[in-house]
Every structure is written in C-alpha cells, then in structure tokens.
Amino acid sequence: MSSYCWGWGFYGLCQNCVSPPISATELCQFVQTARLGSMGGILKKVLLYGLLGAAVFTVGMLLGHFGIQKGGESSPEWLRDVSRDVDESLIERFIAEVDNTQIRENLRELTSTPHMATTEGDERTVQYMLKRWQDPDTGLDDAWREEYKVYLSFPNKNTPNKVTVVSPTSEVLFTAREKEKVYEPDQSHPDVVQPYAAYAPAGHPKGKLVYANQGKVSDYEFLNATMNLAGTIAIVRYGGAGRAAKAINAAPFGVIGVLVYTDPMDINDGVMSDVNETYPHSWYMPPSGVERGSFNTHFGDLRTPYLAAKEHTYRIPEADITGLPPIPTQPIGFEDAYTLICELDGPAAPSDWHGAFNCTYNVGGPGFKATSRFNNGDVNLDIYNKGELKNSSNVMGIIRGSVEPDRYIIYGNHRDSWVNGAIDPSSGTSVMLEITRVLGKMVKEGKWRPRRSIIFGSWGAEEFGLIGSTEYTEEYYSKLRDRTVAYINVDISVFANATLRVQGSPAAQSVVFSATKQVKTPGSNPTSVYDNWIRFFNRTSPAHGVVPNVAFLTGAGSDYAAFIHFLGITSMDIAYTYDRSKTKARIYPAYHTAYDTFNYSAQYIDPGFTSHQTVARTAGNVLLRLADSLLVPFSSTDYAESLEQYLSTALQNFNDRLAQKGISMEPLKNAVTKFRTAATSLEKLIQESDLANETPLKVRRINDQLMLLERAFLDPLAFPDKFGYRHVIWASKSSSVATFPGLADAFAHAQKTDLRQDWDQVYRHLSIVTQAIEGAAHSLEEVI
C-alpha cells in the first residue's frame, strides 16, 4: 500500500492518514468515467479523500508554523514577546539612571509652598505633576486628572481656634499659641494653616482640666474610679490610641473637650529647648510644634461611604457620619502642655503616664493647684472648625503594557500635605517623579515597554483620611478587582537614612528581597540594601533562615488601605527609616508641623538625598519585576508561613479557653494545613515547568492564581462595624495579640464579659477565618 496523502499532493505529510488510499488504477478509472460524465462511487471516494487530505494539510501547516523553536529568528514577534521574562540588564540601567540631584530638585519644587488638599498650593502641584507626566521626552503614555467632590474640615481663617484658661470672673489667665513659632521664612507663609483637629466639631466647652495620659478607654476608666469626669476638659498625649479615639473614648465619661499634645519623651528623646536642642539646631520638634491631623476613624470620603464621591453621588447627611470626635478637640504644642500639666492638682499619675516634663504629672483635682496662678480657673476651648464640600483631584498616569495590557501594577503616593510636607508626602512624590522620568524616557526612546500596564496615582486629600485613593478604588472597583496584580505605596519615602523598612503582604516578600539584593546602600563601600536591612529588622523563617522582617499591613496608615483591605490586592509600603536603637521617636519629629520643609529634609533627614535615591532604585526595581516578569513573582508558600505563624499564636493564646467553652480550633488548624499543601503543590508545579516554552495559557492561569490569592481572604460581611475592612487576615484590630484580627478582638471581648453571646461571636469569627483560608487553598489548586 502506498503511504501518502494525495489530496494536495504533499507526500509523507501524514503516515497512513487515509485508509485505504486511492490507487493509481482507481485514478485512471476516475479520469475515464469523468470524461463520460459519470463518476459514481469513485467520485464520492475521491471527494472524501480530498477533504480529509485538505484537513490534514491544514493541521500540518499550523503545527509546522507554531512548532518552530521559540526564540528562533523565524518565530513571530508576538510569540517572542509572550515568552519574554524580566530583563536584568534593563533593571541595571534603571538603577544607574536614577539621579539623586533630580530627586532633590523635585522636592524643592514640590515644597515651595504649603499645599494642603484643595488649596491653591495643591492645584499648583496638580499642574506640576501633569506637566511632568505629559512631557514629550520623559513623560508617560498618557496623564490626566480625575475630580472628586469630597467632604473636608477646615478651621476658620478669620476666627482662629483658641485655648485659654479663664478665672471665675472670665479674666483670661493664659492663652495657648495659635500658630507655631517662626524660625525660617517657610513658617511665615500666609497659607500655613493653624494647627487644628480636622473633623472635630465646633463648640465652646469650658471646664476643669484633667490629665488622661493617651486617651485610651483604660485611662479614662482609671480616672473615673476616683473622680467625676463630667464637665471636664482632658489633656492627652499622642500615642496609644488613634487621634479620633482620644475624644470618642472620653465622651462617654462626661468629658466635654480634649486637648492633644506631643510629649517630648515620645518624639524628642526628652529634649525640650529651642535654644540649643531642638529645631532649628537638630531634627527634634521645637516647643511650639504641633502635630496636625485628621480626627476620624474611617478612610475615604465620609459622606459617600462605598460610593465614589462624584458630583452626582448621593451623600449622607453630616449628622449621620460616624467615627468622628463627638466633642471639640484641639492640638497644642508641648510648651503650652507643659504650662498646663505642671499646674495640675490631685494625685500623681501612674509612672507609665509620665513624660519628659520636669514636674510631677498630676491627674488634676479636677483642676489646678490652689497655689497655682490658675487656681479655680477653667480651660476654655473656642473651636470654629467647619465641614465643606470641596473638589479634590487625583493625577493619574499610565505606561501601557505590550503583552498583558489588561494586567495592572499600580504605584501610588498622595500629593497633599498639612503644610509644606517635605517628608510627608513630598519625599515619596519626588521619588515617584524620578522613577517616572527614567521609565518615561525609556518608553519615549522606544527602548522598553513593560509586559503589563503600569498605573501611577498621585492621590488627593490623603491627609483627611486616605480620600483620593479610596474614591479611586470605589469608582473603578470592578476593573481593579479583576485586573490589578499589585499596589506599591511610597508615601513618606525617607523618615531618616539608616535602613529600609517594608510593610506588605507575605506573597510579595520574595520580590522585595530580590530587588533589595540588587540595590546598594549609599556610601563609599556599600553593602546591598538587603544586607543592611537585615541588620536592623530581621526574623527567623522556618523556610529561609534569618531574613529581613516585612511587617504586615494590618492598619490604614496610608493609601494602601483601600487596595488591600477593600479590594484584596497584594500591596506593599516601602520607605527608609531611622535606627530605632538610637532614638525613641515614634515618627520623625517634624511630622505634620510647619517645620517639615525642604531645608529640614536636606539638613537633618537625608543630606545628599542618597536615601531618596536608594528608595527610588528599590521601589522601581520591585515595580519593574512585577511589570515585566513572565511569572508574577509572588510566593504562596511565604503566605503559608505567615498563616502558620498566626495559627501558632492563636493556639497558644486561645485554645485552652475555647476548649472550655466547647469551641474547637481543629478546623482552623486543618484549614492552614490545607493551604500549606496547596501552596506547596503550586510551587512544585512552577518549579517543574519550563514556562517560557509552554503554552501562554498555562502561564496566565498560574499568574491569575497568584494575583487573585489575596482576594480569596475577603469577606464583605466579616466586619460590619469596620468601614472598608474586608480582609480577614489583615484587618485592623484592638487586641494586642498578633493573630487573626476578628478572632483576636472577639476573644478579648468575650474574656472581658464572659457572656454566651460574646463567645458565640468568637465561634463565628473562628468559622469566618477558617472558611477564608480553606477558600484560599482551593484557589491554589489546579481544578475543583
């Protein structure tokens, strides 16, 4: 028998593909009968064989076309692009081109005027961002502004807030500073806003003063045990409880007003004198320095919860807003706090309530000592804050991906500040602008285009409660949920110049490690950022040994909040910080004051701007790896390790007590084990696959599993009382136990009350987190 298919005359294309093949005799008969006009059965056979031959030829051509060795010169360009991995030489070029001088000049421009959200200074920074991102030589593919109409809170320019001590006859005995002391021209700018507590209500409370430590519930309970707090004014220091919580906690005890200050022990390592110790002689906060801030507990626009704050959006009434101070509140400098606290009567406060003042921290009588010049005096607060609807802008820019344009890496930082904001946030914005300059230039020159799309966001009104970023996630919820691979946040890029500090999802740990091993620290004989980092923050990993510690994103400290807590997008926050063995400062001392200026940064935070440069190189390196890697560089086994860590803590703290209540933790243990098994299997599949030479659909499938892993931990009903928090692993918590937040908080509450319904809530949260982990494990499996 002849072994060829003849339909199109290609011999040997397919062995024995037609059985039986048409013979030469039959062919001759076909020709003869065709001439006679009668083909009969032979014609049917010829047609059948011809069709089969054509089909086989087509398949053969396709196999031949796509079977060409990938990477060969004859392979199509799109096929080479699909299998392309991150280019290490391009990353090295990026690192080399990041310029500290450019960053310095970015910062100088950004801090040339105060730029509180929605002010003229803010609009100036909007225009500056657009100009840079639309530059024809170094700009992005596209850039634009997006507007939201948001609810903000401002003091009255014409009637400033006042804090006074008045006698029984209404004589003013003392007046606190309305503005901070001027040391440099920056602090005398007319747009420097008076220190105030944003969203604290207007009012004029007057009462006896008490010292309430940090304004925690336990602090007020301690005072309430020995005195009547009704009608008093409390003075508290920053730390221990959130800004808004200090007043929210006070109101149920009858307190009618709150003063907040920063104790020199908590920010200045105890130093207090501006003659030779504090700014302008060092980085420490001077006595008149006041930390401004937003006194609300929710993030996003307060009048459009879960809705983007567009012009047409429904807004709840102001009276229905929750999470705000119910009583007037005002921040003051520690020089004024010193004057007030050192005159208080009553017993001495507990030793752990004491700060740096060289006097006894008494709690108050309530009120002042009989020997004080303020004897029988009341503290009077005249607060004129007012809520307003204002237009706020995000500035957005993009570099379009060449292979997977529908997969996004988002890099963001807020633009607004309380005053000049050199550190918060302009250090981060200056770094972002340098990253976009280098990458934009590569794109404009035609030398590079990322595999995935990169979105840059300059968020508005962050200082008032992460508003710009939250409204963005609410407006583009569906698209971002389905398409975003990761979010990189660089807010305060440089707190100081000692070492890197990273917070993030465990899945992102490996890509950060890869980047930091490639970037060098500043200096004449530099080590890698990784090796320097591990000296300051480290932990022991069962899988990797001693590694740098990547802290968890368990709160809402910056614009990553909506991305990880609301959308379940793998997120990270990157910064350079100080050596905590050399200072007890809870944050850099000029934080949210009028002293956070370009000169402050250049003189005390990062002379030479080499730490800014290092953060730009590191964050940009992470960005490139996320945007260009064939396989998304996330690790599910690193996530498993973190869940095991949380489980161990939960078992140690809760297991015995829950067993007494008939609640078993075995299902949670089993869920974590299932997750570990699924994660290990996925990692094994990745390691055993030659993904560059396999079908792109396999790569896409694995990438989707890695991208969507974080989403698997979302439960919209888990925390009905916590706006925006849906991630059952990383939600905020009040418990000090470092484990699953819903379970930890429910357990702490049930331990306190020992009520059946509260133990039921513990059981409920145990089930919630168990089911979430099991669901995440299922998402890592190949098929259901």
Side-chain angles (χ1 to χ4, degrees), residues 611-634:
S611 293
H612 284 76
Q613 181 183 41
T614 302
V615 172
R617 287 170 168 172
T618 302
N621 192 328
V622 172
L623 176 65
L624 285 169
R625 292 181 182 281
L626 289 168
D628 271 354
S629 294
L630 175 64
L631 187 76
V632 172
F634 290 160

Side-chain angles (χ1 to χ4, degrees), residues 207-211 227 232-233 340-341 343-346 362-370 372 374-379:
K208 302 299 182 186
L209 189 67
V210 295
Y211 172 57
M227 70 175 73
T232 60
I233 305 291
L340 296 173
I341 289 175
E343 298 292 334
L344 280 173
D345 198 6
N362 295 331
V363 296
F368 300 106
K369 301 172 184 174
S372 167
F374 303 150
N375 180 37
N376 289 325
D378 290 322
V379 171

Side-chain angles (χ1 to χ4, degrees), residues 501-623:
R501 185 219 67 184
V502 179
Q503 299 169 274
S505 165
Q509 171 183 276
S510 58
V511 67
V512 175
F513 286 173
S514 295
T516 54
K517 289 175 181 177
Q518 192 174 14
V519 178
K520 302 300 182 183
T521 56
S524 58
N525 196 12
T527 59
S528 71
V529 170
Y530 180 92
D531 288 336
N532 184 60
W533 180 17
I534 207 171
R535 291 173 48 223
F536 291 91
F537 302 104
N538 60 69
R539 67 180 182 89
T540 300
S541 160
H544 309 297
V546 179
V547 295
N549 184 50
V550 176
F552 299 144
L553 290 174
T554 55
S558 189
D559 287 299
Y560 54 77
F563 289 94
I564 190 164
H565 297 309
F566 181 55
L567 281 174
I569 291 169
T570 300
S571 301
M572 65 206 78
D573 185 79
I574 301 173
Y576 235 67
T577 190
Y578 42 83
D579 182 349
R580 294 186 180 275
S581 69
K582 295 181 178 179
T583 177
K584 295 179 181 178
R586 62 180 178 85
I587 198 167
Y588 72 96
Y591 177 67
H592 287 188
T593 72
Y595 308 110
D596 188 353
T597 64
F598 176 84
N599 288 340
Y600 179 84
S601 176
Q603 188 170 0
Y604 299 119
I605 298 297
D606 186 24
F609 289 86
T610 53
S611 293
H612 284 76
Q613 181 183 41
T614 302
V615 172
R617 287 170 168 172
T618 302
N621 192 328
V622 172
L623 176 65

Side-chain angles (χ1 to χ4, degrees), residues 167-213:
S167 71
T169 60
S170 298
E171 177 189 359
V172 175
L173 305 175
F174 169 79
T175 302
R177 278 184 181 269
E178 292 177 10
K179 287 198 172 185
E180 293 145 304
K181 184 176 178 179
V182 172
Y183 297 99
E184 293 185 352
D186 285 330
Q187 288 113 42
S188 63
H189 193 286
D191 290 339
V192 173
V193 69
Q194 176 196 12
Y196 75 111
Y199 298 112
H204 307 277
K206 183 172 70 172
K208 302 299 182 186
L209 189 67
V210 295
Y211 172 57
N213 190 30

Side-chain angles (χ1 to χ4, degrees), residues 41 61 132 341 652:
M61 288 292 290
R132 291 290 301 274
I341 289 175
Q652 181 179 349

Side-chain angles (χ1 to χ4, degrees), residues 676-725:
R676 165 61 76 177
T677 300
T680 301
S681 296
L682 180 61
E683 292 290 327
K684 184 172 183 290
L685 172 66
I686 292 169
Q687 292 168 5
E688 294 177 351
S689 299
D690 182 12
L691 295 176
N693 292 305
E694 296 195 43
T695 169
L697 293 178
K698 182 176 182 179
V699 179
R700 180 80 166 196
R701 171 172 57 82
I702 295 173
N703 280 342
D704 281 355
Q705 287 177 291
L706 294 170
M707 177 182 77
L708 297 173
L709 173 58
E710 206 78 61
R711 271 39 138 223
F713 295 105
L714 297 182
D715 185 336
L717 302 179
F719 310 107
D721 298 328
K722 291 184 178 182
F723 175 84
Y725 287 100

